[in-house]
């Protein structure tokens, strides 16, 4: 039976240029998608852009462009960012595409046909920046008398005819669902927030707008466009070819995991399952949310001029180096601060001096002392066996960490083995064995190759380019670079290409 895995990023608002906050969730999703492919799954990895709503309409007007021209441009920029960050997405969805408009209309019809939509009048607060409705109790009043949302976004008073979704009736079903699916929301702190929010009672949700028209028309309701979050969330089913049951990706629904930022948990963990249940569709298995990045401890903002552009960062430090940093520097669910010195420290201590150095030392000794040929596997000492055992345990350990999105812990486990390898090479001193016991020297070097191979294999999702080069140098054929392939030993005596460093030290110029 095929093991399938469907992973998504949020779809990004096209009101401005991509920054590292966007790149981060995308890189995490890419790491997961690549890992699952490596681990034998048939993967569908989706990213894309969220193009409707007032926020985007306003940004287009400010740029002096019609919304479609504007969104075409900004969406193309996000697509370029995805490519430059090495994303292996299988599809890139835009909410302005016909396939998506059709899926949204159908989802609306099904929710309506099941009796969960009614026409009414909305009167209340709305924050365009968050594209969210707020209760007065959620707002705070600034010293100047203006009211702001919990996110700090300004709110305005909105009064308009609107269709409503009967969210208030879903409280018990949602609470039961969370109880029956304890892994639905991660991390646990977010799960607790969601559960207490739902326990506090839910209001019916306004799901159409009538005061602007940059949105997907509500079926058979002239003047109404869909609330942008209903439109946006639907992207995840659109991309599976829904509602066509014969679409090639139909089997991927429900998604295995939505990776999102912590600010949009309510939409994904409350509204989305309720919409899906109301439409009679299965609910995704998990919503895992990431914390926010600051830059040197400061919130990124255009006014502070500290917005970090991910493509520039990759061009300066190297793509794999940047991907590694993001996955290693902080736990996925937690907030964290990025800075150039922190990035350089990770590059130099863990990549250049860590895995890079271990590989370079081992491979250059083979090049010099073994005629560049892979030594055959000899008799194992207890020390050899201990190191190999630790290295061979990595796939199982990494699998468990990936399934819980504790990427930094997966890397920490890999690094324990790199450090063990460093200790091993220092103690065994193969360079000294050359004169005293050439056979043992060869054994030691082969143990090192067989240790570095699983390390490089499990690191491929994080640093695909560099690990590909390292596996080339270890002589690992492309068809056995996945987890299953680790069971196939390397061929004794195979000629290895001349070693070349994969991670240069970063030196400020
Ligand atoms: N369009 C909605 C998502 C719809 S998904 C059906 C949206 N877009 S967004 O472009 O504003 O944000 C996308 C993601 O970027 C969010 O998950 C948000 O948390 C994340 N980030 C934005 N700034 C961030 C940081 N500074 N750090 C980390 N992630 C941040 O919301």
């Amino acid at each position: 039976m095929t093991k399938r895995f469907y992973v998504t990023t949020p779809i990004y608002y096209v009101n401005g240029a991509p920054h590292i906050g966007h790149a981060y969730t995308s890189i995490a999703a890419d790491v997961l998608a690549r890992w699952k492919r490596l681990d034998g799954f048939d993967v569908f990895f989706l990213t894309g852009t969220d193009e409707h709503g007032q926020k985007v309409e306003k940004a287009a007007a400010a740029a002096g462009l019609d919304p479609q021209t504007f969104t075409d441009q900004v969406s193309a920029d996000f697509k370029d960012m995805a490519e430059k960050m090495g994303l292996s997405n299988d599809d890139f969805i835009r909410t302005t595409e016909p396939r998506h408009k059709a899926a949204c209309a159908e989802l609306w019809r099904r929710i309506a046909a099941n009796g969960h939509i009614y026409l009414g009048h909305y009167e209340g607060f709305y924050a365009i920046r968050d594209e969210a409705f707020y209760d007065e109790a959620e707002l705070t009043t600034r010293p100047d008398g203006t009211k702001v949302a919990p996110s700090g976004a300004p709110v305005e008073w909105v009064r308009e005819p609107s269709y409503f979704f009967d969210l208030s009736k879903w409280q018990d079903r949602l609470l039961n669902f969370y109880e029956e699916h304890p892994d639905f929301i991660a991390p646990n702190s977010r799960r607790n927030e969601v559960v207490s929010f739902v326990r506090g009672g839910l209001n019916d949700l306004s799901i159409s707008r009538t005061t602007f028209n940059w949105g997907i028309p509500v079926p058979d309701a002239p003047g109404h466009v869909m609330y942008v979050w209903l439109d946006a969330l639907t992207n995840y089913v659109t991309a599976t070819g829904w509602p066509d049951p014969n679409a090639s990706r139909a089997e991927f629904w429900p998604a295995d995991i939505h990776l999102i930022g912590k600010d949009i948990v309510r939409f994904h963990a409350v509204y989305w399952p309720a919409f899906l249940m109301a439409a009679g569709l299965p609910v995704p298995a998990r919503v895992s949310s990431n914390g926010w990045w600051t830059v040197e401890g400061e919130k990124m903002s255009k006014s502070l001029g500290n917005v970090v552009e991910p493509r520039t960062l990759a061009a300066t430090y190297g793509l794999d180096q940047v991907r590694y940093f993001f996955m290693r520097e902080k736990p996925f669910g937690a907030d964290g601060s990025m800075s150039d010195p922190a990035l350089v420290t990770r590059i130099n201590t863990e990549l250049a001096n860590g895995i890079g150095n271990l590989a370079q030392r081992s491979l250059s000794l083979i090049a010099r002392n073994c005629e560049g040929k892979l030594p055959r596997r000899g008799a194992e000492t207890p020390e050899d066996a201990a190191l190999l055992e630790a290295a061979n345990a990595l796939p199982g350990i990494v699998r468990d960490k990936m399934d819980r999105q504790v990427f930094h812990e997966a890397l920490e486990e890999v690094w324990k083995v790199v450090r063990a390898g460093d200790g091993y090479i220092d103690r065994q001193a193969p360079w000294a064995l050359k004169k005293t016991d050439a056979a043992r020297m060869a054994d030691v070097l082969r143990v090192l190759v067989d240790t570095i191979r699983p390390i490089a294999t499990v690191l491929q999702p994080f640093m695909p380019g560099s690990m590909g080069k390292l596996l080339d140098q270890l002589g690992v054929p492309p068809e056995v670079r996945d987890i299953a392939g680790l069971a196939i030993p390397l061929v004794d005596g195979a000629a290895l290409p001349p070693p070349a460093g994969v991670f240069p030290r970063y030196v400020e110029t």
Side-chain angles (χ1 to χ4, degrees):
M1 212 187 82
T2 331
K3 299 187 288 179
R4 282 192 198 82
F5 191 77
Y6 179 18
V7 50
T8 66
T9 74
I11 49 170
Y12 303 104
Y13 284 130
V14 289
N15 61 311
H19 58 62
I20 54 160
H22 308 122
Y24 176 62
T25 320
S26 288
I27 292 170
D30 184 61
V31 168
L32 199 52
R34 287 179 186 266
W35 165 260
K36 286 289 177 180
R37 287 191 200 106
L38 203 66
D39 205 20
F41 286 75
D42 181 10
V43 171
F44 178 31
F45 169 24
L46 178 70
T47 188
T49 44
D50 186 356
E51 307 189 7
H52 292 124
Q54 255 179 311
K55 167 157 151 160
V56 170
E57 191 184 57
K58 261 178 77 174
L65 293 171
D66 69 276
Q68 191 61 58
T69 310
F70 179 72
T71 56
D72 285 349
Q73 285 175 6
V74 185
S75 178
D77 200 27
F78 272 90
K79 202 166 187 180
D80 179 69
M81 188 268 284
E83 281 161 21
K84 300 258 164 58
M85 301 319 285
L87 299 203
S88 61
N89 52 298
D90 301 291
D91 195 354
F92 185 101
I93 190 163
R94 299 186 55 190
T95 54
T96 46
E97 289 174 70
R99 61 171 170 160
H100 180 64
K101 293 178 184 166
C104 284
E106 182 57 23
L107 193 79
W108 181 289
R109 280 194 205 98
R110 294 206 190 176
I111 299 174
N114 291 339
H116 300 292
I117 295 180
Y118 64 90
L119 185 60
H121 213 91
Y122 180 77
E123 189 162 353
F125 292 100
Y126 192 78
I128 297 181
R129 205 169 85 193
D130 300 345
E131 295 283 17
F133 301 96
Y134 288 105
D135 283 346
E136 178 135 36
E138 293 179 282
L139 307 177
T140 40
T141 309
R142 288 243 165 104
D144 65 2
T146 54
K147 289 186 188 298
V148 292
S151 61
V155 293
E156 57 182 47
W157 186 256
V158 173
R159 249 188 122 240
E160 59 190 21
S162 169
Y163 282 97
F164 284 83
F165 172 70
D166 63 357
L167 187 65
S168 61
K169 300 211 180 90
W170 290 86
Q171 183 182 23
D172 289 345
R173 271 170 286 191
L174 285 169
L175 291 172
N176 286 342
F177 178 79
Y178 303 144
E179 180 121 8
E180 281 161 18
H181 300 89
D183 294 329
F184 178 58
I185 307 165
N188 231 350
S189 52
R190 300 277 162 242
R191 179 187 151 78
N192 296 340
E193 279 170 21
V194 167
V195 170
S196 67
F197 172 73
V198 175
R199 274 212 189 109
L202 298 168
N203 294 329
D204 286 352
L205 181 70
S206 164
I207 51 164
S208 78
R209 303 289 314 270
T210 42
T211 43
F212 66 96
N213 54 25
W214 181 239
I216 297 180
V218 172
D220 314 314
H224 288 259
V225 293
M226 289 185 201
Y227 171 40
V228 66
W229 269 102
L230 173 57
D231 158 352
L233 289 160
T234 305
N235 91 87
Y236 303 130
V237 286
T238 305
T240 64
W242 189 83
D244 176 2
N246 300 316
S248 60
R249 293 204 166 111
E251 305 266 358
F252 280 102
W253 192 260
D256 292 275
I257 189 165
H258 295 313
L259 294 187
I260 59 162
K262 65 175 183 178
D263 52 321
I264 55 176
V265 172
R266 190 182 292 184
F267 303 96
H268 285 81
V270 182
Y271 302 167
W272 186 222
F275 293 154
L276 288 166
M277 290 184 212
L281 287 174
V283 174
R286 189 166 164 92
V287 171
S288 187
S289 77
N290 63 255
W292 274 47
W293 285 97
T294 55
V295 175
E296 288 163 10
E298 298 267 11
K299 200 174 162 173
M300 262 190 296
S301 80
K302 276 193 205 140
S303 50
L304 285 174
N306 64 348
V307 177
V308 180
E309 211 292 321
R311 288 163 287 194
T312 313
L313 205 62
T316 309
Y317 295 105
L319 174 58
D320 282 352
Q321 284 82 344
V322 169
R323 289 170 60 104
Y324 174 74
F325 173 80
F326 280 130
M327 294 297 101
R328 175 75 170 106
E329 186 71 4
K330 72 168 186 72
F332 183 65
D335 293 339
S337 170
M338 73 149 304
S339 68
D340 288 70
L343 187 50
V344 169
T345 302
R346 289 282 178 200
I347 294 173
N348 288 345
T349 59
E350 295 179 1
L351 297 180
N353 292 351
I355 175 73
N357 192 40
L358 178 65
Q360 184 70 12
R361 280 167 101 187
S362 311
L363 290 167
S364 58
L365 284 168
I366 293 177
R368 259 185 277 128
N369 303 333
C370 310
E371 299 164 352
K373 293 197 185 114
L374 183 69
R376 66 171 171 72
R377 190 101 174 227
E380 270 173 28
T381 68
E383 257 218 302
D384 300 349
L387 183 64
L388 289 167
E389 199 192 326
N392 292 331
L394 280 176
I397 294 173
V398 171
R399 180 178 298 124
D400 169 62
K401 305 287 184 194
M402 292 296 203
D403 282 343
R404 293 186 288 121
Q405 296 83 56
V406 284
F407 305 107
H408 71 296
E409 286 183 15
L411 291 169
E412 179 51 38
E413 293 294 333
V414 175
W415 253 251
K416 282 187 194 157
V417 182
V418 171
R419 284 192 294 267
D422 277 336
Y424 174 88
I425 195 170
D426 288 344
R427 281 190 304 277
Q428 301 292 327
W431 47 89
L433 287 169
K434 188 185 171 190
K435 293 195 193 92
T436 54
D437 188 349
R440 176 65 192 151
M441 174 199 70
D443 291 352
V444 167
L445 292 175
R446 176 61 190 258
V447 167
L448 283 162
V449 168
D450 286 343
T451 300
I452 298 167
R453 179 186 177 194
I455 292 175
T457 302
V458 301
L459 286 178
Q460 290 175 99
F462 296 88
M463 301 182 282
S466 327
M467 290 304 107
K469 277 189 210 146
L470 182 50
L471 290 166
D472 288 345
Q473 293 184 34
L474 295 171
V476 182
E479 62 281 6
V480 292
R481 289 184 183 186
D482 57 0
I483 302 302
L486 282 170
I488 298 160
L490 297 177
V491 177
D492 296 344
L496 300 186
V502 278
F503 291 121
R505 279 184 72 77
Y506 182 81
V507 188
E508 201 86 42
T509 47

